[in-house]
Structures are given as C-alpha cells and as structure tokens.
C-alpha cells in the first residue's frame, strides 16, 4: 500500500482534470494540431466509433427487444431484427402490473439504501479515527481494512450462509443489509480517508482548544467539509449494492424477498421457455435507476471509482 | 492549577499547544477504539469469522442441515481427482489471463484514444462508463440473448454479411469452446470501461511539455508512449490490474447469469462450481474447499500484478512515497 501512495496526488490531479474538462478544454493534447483531419479520422475517430458501438450495442438490443411484439422476437428471417415495426409496451406493462417486479425493485432499493447508510456511518467513524485520532495501531488497522476489500464474496458465501442461518436471518432483507457492509465499509473507509486528509488540521486544533469534543468536531467540522466525498461514497456503495448478486442468490429464497438481479435470472424462465421480452424489459428497468443516478453525478462517480485505486 | 493551565494556553500560539494534546493522549487509544467499533463489528462478524469458518468447513464433511465432522484434507484430495474441479481450475486461470490481458490492451488503447482532443469529450467519456454501471447480471442477460443459440443477432448479422450459411447457424451457447469465448468476451466488455477511465485519469496527469520535449528530441509516437507515457503510468496500471485480476478470478455473476457453468460444465469457474457443489448440491464442506482453494491463486495473482509492475518503479529510482 505504501508503495503506491505516490499515485495519490497524481490521481487526485487527474480527477480534477477530468472534472474540469466538462467545463472547459484542457490542454493536455500538446501537439494534436500537427495531425491532419483525415489521418485523425482513421487513427482516432474510427476506432473510437467501433469501440463505442460494441460497448453500447447490448443496451440497444435490450431496448429493441423489450418493445418488440412476441412474434417478432423469434423471427430473425422476416424483417430486420435491429428495427421494430410495431413497438409495444406490453412487456413493460406485464412487468410492472402482472409480476412481482415492483416488489423486487423496492427490495433492492430498501436493501441498498439501508446497507449504504450503515456502511457510511461506520466508515466515517473509522476513517476519522484512522486519519485523525491516530491511536496506537491506526496504520495497521487501516491496512487491514484495505485487505478486507481484497477478500471476494465468492470465498465467503458458503460459511456466511450457515452463519446467516444460525443468526436467524435467512430469507430476510437483514441478511443482505448486514452482509453488504463488509464489501462497502473497506471501500468507503478508504475513499473517505483520502478526503479527510485534505481537510486542514488547523481547523480541528482550533476547535479542540475551544473545548470541542471529538464527536462535535466530526459532526460540525469534518462532515460538512467532506460532503463531496460522502456523495462519492454513497453513490458508489449504492451501485455496489444494486449490483450484488451472489449473497442475494444464496441468502434469499422466496420470490417476494428477491432483489432485481436474482429475480431476473430465475423468475422469467418457465422451464425451457425464456420470456425474452419481459427479461429484457426487466433488465432495462433494473438498470435505469443507476443510470439516472450516474447521469446526475458523473464526476462524483468517476472520482469514487478512481478513489478505489487511489492508494 | 487551572490558573496555571490558562496562563500556559494564552502564553503559547494555539497551533503548537502541547498541553491539550498531552491530555488527549491519555485516552486517545480508547477514543480511537470506540470510533472503530461499528466498522470492526461488521467486518469481524460477517467477514473475519466467516473466513475462519470457511477454512474450518473445508476440512469437514459438513452438509446442509448437519454440522460437519473433521476429515482433514479429504475434501482437497477428492478435488484433485475430480475432473470437473480440475477443468474449472484451468478454465478460471485461462479466463482470468485472457480476459485481463485483453481488457488491459483495449482499455489502454481506449484511454489513449479518449486522451485526444475530441469533440463532445465529456459526453463520450460518460457514455463509455455505462457498461460498468449497469449491474453485471442485467448486462449478462442481454449477452445471453445476443448469443442465443437459435435467435442470435450475431448469427443473423454474419448471415446477412455472407460469412456463414443460414442453414448452419453458430451454436454459441451449445458448443463448449464457443461458450467459453462468449463469456470471456462478455467479461472483457464489462471490464474495459473501468480500466479505460482509470488509465485516462492517469494519462491526464502526464504533462504535455514532456511530449513536446521528447518530440523536439526526435522521438516518434511509439517512443513517446514507451519512454514517457508508460513509465509514468506504471503505478496506476499496477493498481488497476491488481483489482481487475482479482475481480476476474472470482467472477461469479456473469457466468451464473449466462451459462450456469454449462454446457457440460465447460464454463464453470471455481466460484460457480463452489456454489453448485456447496449450496445447490448441499455439500458445504466440499464447496468451502473449492472456495478456499482459490486463495493461493488469488494471492499469487495479486502478488504478480502488484510486484511485477511495481518493480519497474523502484528500478527507475523513484521514491516509494
């Protein structure tokens, strides 16, 4: 970890650069004027265009499938499958009014919000303690928290499932609300530590001398100043929760308790019959909240993502 | 006493005030401890304890609803003779290696492309990240449909372009090798944005004056990349690739959503095999053993990408700070 601490100011500067570029041009492309337009078309625009098409095609296909009538779905030889003649919203209607989809959406939202909230509270306290209280062993604890981020859920889900049974949490949202923080806390703590370090120490010293307690300092000085960091942590943690699959698959068994990702893969397949229209509509609707959230907070999102690799 | 304390506070500048700090030192360790309690409680109850329990379970014959009996290394001995396990192990390694390498190559390429002066730069950058934001399972479902054996749009495209005949469609999800290619492709698709955007963040910090100086000295585009960009980018590459390898190696949701390990167990990763044996098959001990056998490889992969790439930095005499 210490080995890469050098990337810290660099990454921060880069994030700032990415953020700025939305407002005004940065000039990091020193000599691009030397390139002629035709040459640039071949070396830059064309490859970029191809990559963008590949990256976005699945979403287009998802969308077009979800508004296609059923008979068109299984007919590749009639018309053009990339276009739809008579769009229909039947799949969305069925999804929202004739299935448990709203319940699953609600479950996912509820679990994600609770787990994110718990994680951020725990992470703020931990990050503050590590960066500012500097108790004995703070460095070690910081390192251990980073290591916890490297423990993948794929290793833990079997023992955790027995523990969840013992705690009596099986098939309840609490199984997920209490296990997700193990993924989120290391990430959020790490991210917030970076933000807290940027807050001038003098502010705290003054407050301490004026007789403020550590708790008052945290609530009245540090947290208000770290709001951008908190937003980043919130967005990223929320996304991770929404995305989580293996715990939700293992700890939740009954249909009305499922979250969107697990329900999608299990509930839209009747034996050998795949209801592709509903499946794609479900995948699209399930992605929408995250895409909307992302659209509003792109900059925070990027900084949170790079924050993950910051140290 | 109090008078003396006040006198001291006023006598010295507030920034270097020692007495308040002296008093704090007395209870600072306890204070730190209390602030750490919530985070530690979660991590101990739901991470450290399960990790230990998983290790223990891998040495038992635990089944669902029954506490296991200690059987020593029996689970691992069985696994060594288990063709499915060996296959999953080999495929996991191939999957991780191929997917990480391609992700890195395309990710770096995309980052270099995006670092150009482009119209609608901010918009393009935001759009590139979308595959990373959409939950993996949901995009995996889309790929499942794109590569559907009978109604694949890819097959349709290839037929239209005249590459293959309509009467012999490609069995994307039925042929073991093709399915392996498809899941690797989907993993690459999902991973590129993360790598590209993070490396782009690194590229933005390289000062243009370095390129100008190198170009004046007669450096070609490739030399610019090789001797300016790459060395400055190595630290961030090391971190990004460590994460990428780690998450690729332990991938579960993509495979489970697309193939469930099929056809004929061809696309089982260790994580999915562990789920199938442990949870669906009820052999918790065996499942735990499979999960635990991921650990050495995981450590090796992390060490490799971490130190393998970090070493360059030390060689060039940069400080490690």
């Amino acid at each position: 970890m210490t080995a890469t601490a050098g990337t810290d100011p660099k990454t921060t500067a880069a994030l700032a650069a990415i953020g700025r570029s939305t407002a005004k041009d940065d000039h990091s492309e020193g000599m691009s004027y030397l390139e002629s337009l035709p040459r640039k078309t071949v070396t830059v625009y064309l490859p970029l265009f191809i990559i963008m098409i590949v990256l976005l095609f699945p979403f287009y296909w998802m969308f077009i499938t979800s508004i296609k009538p059923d008979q068109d779905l299984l007919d590749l030889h009639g018309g053009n499958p990339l276009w739809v003649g008579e769009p229909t919203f039947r799949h969305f209607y069925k999804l929202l009014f004739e299935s448990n989809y709203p319940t699953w959406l609600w479950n996912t939202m509820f679990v994600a919000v609770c787990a994110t909230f718990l994680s951020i509270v725990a992470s703020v306290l931990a990050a503050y303690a590590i960066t500012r209280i500097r108790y004995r062993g703070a460095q070690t604890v910081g390192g251990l928290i980073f290591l916890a981020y490297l423990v993948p859920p794929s290793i833990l889900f079997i023992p955790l499932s027995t523990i969840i049974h013992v705690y009596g949490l099986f098939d309840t949202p609490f199984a997920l609300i209490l296990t997700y923080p193990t993924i989120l806390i290391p990430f959020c703590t790490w991210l917030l530590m970076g933000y807290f370090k940027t807050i001038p120490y003098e502010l705290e010293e003054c407050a301490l001398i004026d007789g403020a307690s550590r708790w008052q300092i945290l609530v009245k000085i540090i947290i208000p100043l770290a709001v951008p960091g908190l937003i980043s942590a919130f967005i990223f943690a929320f996304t991770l929760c929404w995305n989580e699959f293996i715990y939700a698959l293992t700890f939740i068994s009954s249909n009305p308790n499922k979250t969107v990702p697990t329900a999608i893969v299990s509930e839209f397949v009747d034996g050998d019959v795949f209801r592709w229209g509903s499946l794609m509509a479900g995948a699209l609707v399930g992605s929408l909240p995250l895409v909307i959230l992302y659209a509003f907070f792109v900059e925070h999102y990027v900084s949170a993502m790079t924050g993950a690799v910051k140290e | 006493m109090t008078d003396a304390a006040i006198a001291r506070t006023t006598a010295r500048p507030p920034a270097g005030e020692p007495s308040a700090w002296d008093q704090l030192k007395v209870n600072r360790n306890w204070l730190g401890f209390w602030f750490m309690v919530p985070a530690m409680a979660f991590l101990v109850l739901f991470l450290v304890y399960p990790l230990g329990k998983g290790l223990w379970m891998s040495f038992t014959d635990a089944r669902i609803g029954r506490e296991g009996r200690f059987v020593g290394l029996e689970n691992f001995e069985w696994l060594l003779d288990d063709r499915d396990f060996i296959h999953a192990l080999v495929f996991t390694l191939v999957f991780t290696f191929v997917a990480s390498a391609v992700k890195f190559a395309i990710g770096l390429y995309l980052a270099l492309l995006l670092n150009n002066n482009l119209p609608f730069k901010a918009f393009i950058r935001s759009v590139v990240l979308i595959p990373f934001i959409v939950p993996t399972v949901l995009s995996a479902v889309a790929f499942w449909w794109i590569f559907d054996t009978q109604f694949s749009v890819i097959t349709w495209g290839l037929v239209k372009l005249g590459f293959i005949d309509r009467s012999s469609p490609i069995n994307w999800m039925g042929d073991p090798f093709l399915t392996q290619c498809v899941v690797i492709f989907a993993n690459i698709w999902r991973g590129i944005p993360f790598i590209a955007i993070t490396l782009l963040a690194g590229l933005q910090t390289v000062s243009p004056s370095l390129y100008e100086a190198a170009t004046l000295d007669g450096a070609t585009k490739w030399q610019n990349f090789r001797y300016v960009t790459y060395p400055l980018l190595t630290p961030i590459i090391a971190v990004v690739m460590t994460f990428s390898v780690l998450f690729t190696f332990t991938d579960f949701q993509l495979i489970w959503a697309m193939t469930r390990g099929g056809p004929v167990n061809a696309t089982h990763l260790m994580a999915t095999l562990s789920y199938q044996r442990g949870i669906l098959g009820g052999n918790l001990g065996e499942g735990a053993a499979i999960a635990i056998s991921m650990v050495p490889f995981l450590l090796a992969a992390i060490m490799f990408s971490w130190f393998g790439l970090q070493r360059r930095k030390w060689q060039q005499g940069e400080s490690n700070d």
Side-chain angles (χ1 to χ4, degrees):
Chain A
M1 275 144 275
T2 47
T4 47
T7 58
D8 191 348
K10 236 185 223 178
T11 326
T12 320
L15 293 173
I18 286 194
R20 269 201 310 278
S21 67
T22 54
K24 61 175 170 92
D25 254 6
D26 52 344
H27 297 284
S28 58
E29 302 79 12
M31 288 158 300
S32 59
Y33 59 85
L34 289 177
E35 294 207 0
S36 64
L37 185 67
R39 190 185 151 85
K40 212 177 170 189
T41 310
V42 176
T43 56
V44 177
Y45 297 132
L46 190 68
L48 198 59
F49 183 72
I50 295 171
I51 295 179
M52 297 272 280
I53 294 279
V54 174
L55 288 181
L56 295 182
F57 178 74
F59 301 112
Y60 175 73
W61 191 234
M62 235 190 234
F63 172 70
I64 218 81
T65 307
S66 63
I67 58 169
K68 260 186 204 175
D70 272 326
Q71 66 274 16
D72 283 10
L73 277 179
L74 304 183
D75 173 27
L76 275 185
H77 305 306
N80 182 346
L82 294 174
W83 194 243
V84 48
E86 304 144 6
T88 167
F89 288 97
R90 260 203 67 73
H91 298 302
F92 288 98
Y93 182 84
K94 273 170 79 175
L95 191 73
L96 295 176
F97 298 103
E98 292 167 20
S99 79
N100 268 338
Y101 199 82
T103 323
W104 300 328
L105 265 183
W106 164 251
N107 290 341
T108 319
M109 188 76 82
F110 177 69
V111 166
V113 168
C114 292
T116 302
F117 180 75
L118 282 179
S119 312
I120 288 188
V121 170
S123 301
V124 165
L125 295 174
Y128 180 73
I130 291 170
T131 50
R132 285 300 157 84
I133 300 185
R134 293 185 303 185
Y135 53 93
R136 202 184 307 138
Q139 289 293 322
T140 322
V141 174
L144 287 176
I145 286 191
F146 181 75
L147 276 185
Y149 190 60
L150 297 179
V151 179
S154 315
I155 290 180
L156 293 178
F157 68 95
I158 290 182
L160 253 182
S161 76
T162 64
I163 291 168
I164 291 293
H165 268 287
V166 172
Y167 293 166
L169 298 171
F170 188 75
D171 204 20
T172 66
F174 296 105
L176 304 181
I177 292 172
L178 294 173
T179 49
Y180 286 178
T182 58
I183 311 169
L184 309 179
I185 286 175
F187 175 81
C188 295
T189 308
W190 212 247
L191 187 76
L192 290 172
M193 277 167 64
Y195 270 91
F196 288 176
K197 277 179 195 157
T198 64
I199 296 171
Y201 212 36
E202 287 76 18
L203 287 175
E204 252 179 272
E205 282 175 341
C206 294
L208 271 175
I209 286 159
D210 288 347
S213 69
R214 287 286 183 172
W215 178 254
Q216 284 171 320
I217 291 174
L218 181 65
V219 173
K220 291 188 179 156
I221 298 178
I222 302 288
I223 291 184
L225 286 173
V227 167
L230 290 173
I231 296 178
S232 296
F234 171 82
I235 292 173
F236 208 85
F238 187 82
T239 315
L240 279 180
C241 285
W242 200 278
N243 200 345
E244 212 290 325
F245 182 65
I246 191 165
Y247 287 168
L249 184 70
T250 317
F251 307 151
I252 302 294
S253 65
S254 64
N255 179 319
N257 286 337
K258 285 190 172 163
T259 59
V260 171
T262 50
I264 285 282
V265 295
S266 60
E267 305 295 331
F268 285 106
V269 182
D270 309 323
D272 281 347
V273 183
F274 300 109
R275 286 183 278 160
W276 289 112
S278 309
L279 248 169
M280 292 299 125
L284 210 58
V285 175
S287 318
L288 225 48
L290 289 188
V291 174
I292 293 170
L293 193 68
Y294 166 74
F296 280 109
F297 296 99
V298 185
E299 282 170 42
H300 287 287
Y301 198 95
V302 172
S303 73
M305 198 184 73
T306 4
V309 293
K310 201 154 68 168
E311 306 212 31
Chain B
M1 271 308 273
T2 42
D3 285 347
I6 291 167
R8 246 191 310 170
T9 340
T10 48
R12 295 189 184 187
E17 168 60 349
S19 71
W21 287 108
D22 284 342
Q23 286 164 15
L24 261 171
K25 264 180 204 155
V26 180
N27 59 359
R28 182 185 280 166
N29 289 328
W30 273 107
L31 198 63
F33 173 78
W34 288 117
F35 272 79
M36 293 304 296
V37 164
M40 283 301 138
F42 275 115
L43 293 179
V44 169
L45 280 178
F46 295 102
L47 193 127
V48 178
Y49 172 49
L51 201 59
K53 177 143 185 171
L55 191 62
W56 163 252
M57 280 170 80
S58 68
F59 296 121
T60 68
D61 60 355
R63 298 184 57 82
I64 281 181
R66 188 174 61 125
E67 277 296 307
R69 199 164 37 83
F70 183 79
V71 292
L73 289 172
E74 211 169 282
N75 283 324
F76 294 96
E77 283 163 19
W78 275 344
L79 285 178
L80 283 179
D81 290 333
D82 184 337
R83 281 189 48 221
D84 288 345
F85 173 75
I86 299 296
H87 186 275
L89 174 62
V90 173
F91 181 60
T92 309
L93 292 173
V94 173
F95 179 83
T96 309
F97 182 77
V98 175
S100 304
V102 178
K103 263 188 275 194
F104 172 66
I106 301 182
L108 181 60
Y109 182 54
L110 182 57
L112 290 168
L113 288 179
L114 290 173
N115 201 28
N116 280 293
N117 205 354
L118 302 166
F120 310 112
K121 192 191 285 188
F123 174 75
I124 296 176
R125 283 173 188 171
S126 328
V127 167
V128 161
L129 256 184
I130 289 184
F132 180 74
I133 296 147
V134 168
T136 313
V137 173
L138 304 184
S139 49
V141 167
F143 275 107
W144 187 19
W145 175 221
I146 287 176
F147 288 105
D148 183 83
T149 298
Q150 283 173 292
F151 306 106
S152 164
V153 65
I154 304 280
T155 310
W156 175 84
L158 292 175
V159 170
K160 279 283 165 191
L161 291 170
F163 287 119
I164 54 164
D165 193 48
R166 182 183 294 181
S167 53
S168 57
I170 305 174
N171 193 4
W172 294 109
M173 296 303 240
D175 179 79
F177 177 72
L178 281 180
T179 317
Q180 288 171 344
C181 295
V182 166
V183 292
I184 290 176
F185 175 78
N187 183 283
I188 291 169
W189 178 87
R190 171 101 190 1
I192 284 175
F194 170 70
I195 294 182
I197 294 293
T198 327
L199 292 185
L200 177 63
L203 284 173
Q204 300 271 304
T205 61
V206 181
S207 160
S209 59
L210 290 175
Y211 294 118
E212 278 161 18
T215 314
L216 284 178
D217 288 345
T220 60
K221 272 205 110 156
W222 164 250
Q223 284 171 329
N224 258 332
F225 173 77
R226 175 65 189 81
Y227 297 105
V228 180
T229 313
Y230 182 70
L232 288 171
L233 217 53
T234 19
I236 202 161
I237 292 178
V239 187
V240 169
M241 287 319 285
T242 310
F243 278 82
S244 172
V245 166
L246 182 76
F247 293 123
T248 312
F249 192 89
T250 57
D251 198 2
F252 174 87
Q253 35 180 335
L254 189 91
I255 302 286
W256 199 253
M258 284 176 75
T259 67
R260 314 224 162 162
V264 285
N265 295 332
T267 56
H268 261 309
L269 294 178
M270 287 163 91
T272 54
L273 191 69
S274 159
Y275 180 83
Q276 195 177 49
R277 297 276 172 84
I279 303 292
L280 297 184
N283 291 312
L284 293 173
E286 200 184 330
I290 297 174
I292 292 294
S293 20
M294 285 160 74
V295 174
F297 294 98
L298 222 50
L299 287 177
I302 293 172
M303 294 286 167
F304 175 77
S305 52
W306 191 266
F307 291 108
L309 288 159
Q310 278 297 314
R311 209 184 53 234
R312 294 199 55 83
K313 200 178 156 199
W314 301 333
Q315 283 167 349
Q316 283 153 4
E318 279 182 45
S319 74
N320 276 330
D321 187 0

